[in-house]
Amino acid sequence: MTIIIQLLVLALVVLSIILVIGVPVTLASPGQWEKSKNLVYTSIGVWIGLVIITGVLNSFIV
């Protein structure tokens, strides 16, 4: 079970780094926001899901 939590946290950290770099670049680039809007929103939804799933599964570890 702890390996699953560690993999979820790793995925959360990697996705967080990608979002921290990617969202400002997308917003600063002219015309890129309209092209990448759905990808950004989907990535944010996945990030929120990872936070919730990691928190729920972490509550089962003693």
Side-chain angles (χ1 to χ4, degrees):
M1 181 67 124
T2 57
I3 293 174
I4 295 171
I5 298 294
Q6 290 174 350
L7 290 174
L8 284 172
V9 170
L10 176 65
L12 187 60
V13 168
V14 169
L15 185 58
S16 296
I17 291 171
I18 291 170
L19 286 172
V20 162
I21 295 170
V23 171
V25 169
T26 301
L27 291 173
S29 301
Q32 287 295 329
W33 174 245
E34 294 302 322
K35 295 178 186 174
S36 303
K37 185 173 31 175
N38 290 333
L39 180 63
V40 170
Y41 287 148
T42 303
S43 299
I44 292 171
V46 169
W47 186 86
I48 291 171
L50 279 172
V51 169
I52 292 171
I53 291 170
T54 303
V56 168
L57 289 179
N58 196 27
S59 67
F60 294 117
I61 295 180
V62 176

